[in-house]
Amino acid sequence: MQLSATLLLAAGLGATVSAAPQEFPTSKVPLAVEPIATGLKHPWAVEVLPDGAYIVTEREGSLRIVRNGQLSAPILGVPQVVAQDQGGLLDVALAPDFATSRILFLTHSAPGQDGTGTAVTRARLSADEKSLEDVRRIFTMNRATPNGENFGARIAIAADGSLFFGTGDRGEPDRAQDPRDHAGAILHVAADGGIPASNPHAGHAGGLPEIWSKGHRNPQGIAIDPKDGTLVTAEHGARGGDEINLPQPGRNYGWPVISYGKDYSGAEIGKGTARDGYEQPAYYWDPSIAPGAVAVYRGPMFPEWDGDLLVAALKYQTLVRLERDEAGAIHSEERMLDGAFGRLRDVKVTPDGAILLLTDEDDGALLRVSRLPSSQ
């Protein structure tokens, strides 16, 4: 990770940051990027707390608060995780009423009878921010596996408080086509783990009731457009074939029957790029950029980007902006911050319209992207 030499490490609980913003041109507006905190170990997700502080997950299993550039000690009570390969403590999402309820949700790789699987835990952050209380697992994949890849795990919370989240195929592609298997799916549960009546298999025997859509390889990005409620996912392909999808209930998004990528061996995957009964992606990349999270930009700081998608990329170490037209169709792509900060894992839009990024590094950083004052 290539941060400014003016970063200063502090003794004690975390790293205090003192650095002038770095400037980056883009096609529409110049950006300023400044580190908020360093010293994070492979951070995976960030959310903004009501008072403007941040809560961050580290894949090895720690949950921390970042306030005034300082990292807190790890919060106690985090559920057990299996921190190996791509697994560990993954996403964090705040309930819509977090300011009063202090309820949050975590995704993580949980131990099972035959290995690990993606799980969702609900908990309440204590008033002193030192521990989690009323910790309760509300979802666990129905099949664990010893494989260490493709957990999915990003959460998006709908206006009614229900949770959408992705599960990867866990390295076993055919599972993404099995309606009786949670793998390779977008899932939808109520805040208490119950089954929403809008789910396509709710009350029916055709598939597991939590399933919203199938045929997803590894959806590590998921977001809901606050303007119209559209669900958006960013998904890892194999060797090529990373996708943006707009998952609809009961639809099948093709993996591994159709794909725009190839196997890592170079072999063809499935039956081509299109086939009846399988949805086409809204956008795809070949070669792969290895997408992390996705966000829909709706904020006051960058009105030029209103409605565009922002995608954090790991392999290409870039922030991708996908420009959309009034109908929501993607018609152009811009890559920003190329290689300047290392692997980008998470991207979030803050209440004031700035953008938060997390770098997936041994010495990971929380970065804030804003508009240069001269470009207002």
Side-chain angles (χ1 to χ4, degrees):
M1 180 179 56
Q2 303 169 19
L3 287 178
S4 168
T6 57
L7 297 182
L8 302 176
L9 293 181
L13 297 179
T16 296
V17 177
S18 176
Q22 298 182 57
E23 300 179 9
F24 294 88
T26 74
S27 65
K28 291 193 173 184
V29 60
L31 306 178
V33 182
E34 57 185 326
I36 300 301
T38 61
L40 293 158
K41 191 168 181 61
H42 293 283
W44 212 89
V46 60
E47 285 280 5
V48 183
L49 296 173
D51 69 351
Y54 310 98
I55 189 166
V56 181
T57 62
E58 295 174 301
R59 196 171 69 233
E60 67 178 11
S62 295
L63 181 66
R64 299 178 186 268
I65 304 291
V66 178
R67 180 174 281 109
N68 300 323
Q70 286 281 337
L71 305 183
S72 74
I75 294 170
L76 302 176
V78 171
Q80 180 184 2
V81 305
V82 181
Q84 63 184 33
D85 298 322
Q86 296 175 9
L89 183 61
L90 303 173
D91 206 9
V92 58
L94 306 183
D97 63 351
F98 177 86
T100 54
S101 72
R102 304 188 68 77
I103 297 296
L104 55 77
F105 302 91
L106 299 167
T107 57
H108 51 100
S109 54
Q113 181 176 356
D114 299 308
T116 59
T118 304
V120 181
T121 290
R122 170 187 168 125
R124 187 176 70 248
L125 181 64
S126 64
D128 63 7
E129 299 181 340
K130 293 183 178 181
S131 64
L132 297 181
E133 302 170 339
D134 300 329
V135 179
R136 181 164 62 92
R137 182 92 59 86
I138 63 170
F139 170 82
T140 308
M141 286 184 73
N142 64 336
R143 281 182 56 196
T145 175
N147 296 342
E149 70 265 29
N150 297 1
F151 289 91
R154 195 72 67 178
I155 301 172
I157 299 185
D160 64 0
S162 62
L163 280 62
F164 288 90
F165 56 98
T167 54
D169 67 8
R170 301 294 285 108
E172 299 172 331
D174 290 343
R175 294 179 63 183
Q177 289 297 318
D178 182 352
R180 307 301 303 178
D181 193 323
H182 285 133
I186 300 301
L187 305 175
H188 182 214
V189 301
D192 62 358
I195 306 301
S198 59
N199 283 8
H201 301 299
H204 305 286
L208 294 176
E210 298 90 353
I211 290 175
W212 182 259
S213 58
K214 286 286 284 185
H216 303 276
R217 182 177 180 269
N218 189 20
Q220 287 195 359
I222 186 167
I224 294 174
D225 188 339
K227 182 177 180 178
D228 59 15
T230 298
L231 188 66
V232 181
T233 60
E235 309 183 19
H236 284 259
R239 185 176 165 185
D242 297 341
E243 296 181 351
I244 295 292
N245 284 304
L246 308 175
Q248 298 293 312
R251 302 287 179 88
N252 190 313
Y253 290 82
W255 177 259
V257 181
I258 62 171
S259 174
Y260 283 89
K262 294 185 177 182
D263 190 77
Y264 293 111
S265 68
E268 298 294 330
I269 295 173
K271 300 178 181 180
T273 58
R275 195 170 179 86
D276 289 347
Y278 301 97
E279 304 299 317
Q280 285 291 300
Y283 193 81
Y284 71 91
W285 289 273
D286 187 14
S288 295
I289 64 167
V294 62
V296 182
Y297 190 82
R298 301 289 184 187
M301 190 172 291
F302 299 104
E304 303 91 341
W305 295 355
D306 185 54
D308 293 349
L309 305 183
L310 300 175
V311 182
L314 297 155
K315 178 181 176 182
Y316 277 82
Q317 302 182 4
T318 187
L319 177 62
V320 177
R321 181 178 66 87
L322 298 176
E323 189 165 358
R324 298 196 295 173
D325 61 22
E326 291 297 324
I330 297 167
H331 60 79
S332 67
E333 172 181 336
E334 180 180 17
R335 299 187 180 187
M336 306 176 289
L337 315 181
D338 286 357
F341 301 101
R343 290 160 51 86
L344 300 182
R345 171 64 70 182
D346 197 10
V347 55
K348 287 283 176 17
V349 180
T350 67
D352 69 355
I355 297 158
L356 298 177
L357 300 173
L358 284 176
T359 67
D360 185 8
E361 306 286 351
D362 287 336
D363 180 13
L366 172 61
L367 308 173
R368 182 176 185 269
V369 182
S370 60
R371 190 184 189 102
L372 273 181
S374 60
S375 66
Q376 296 288 348

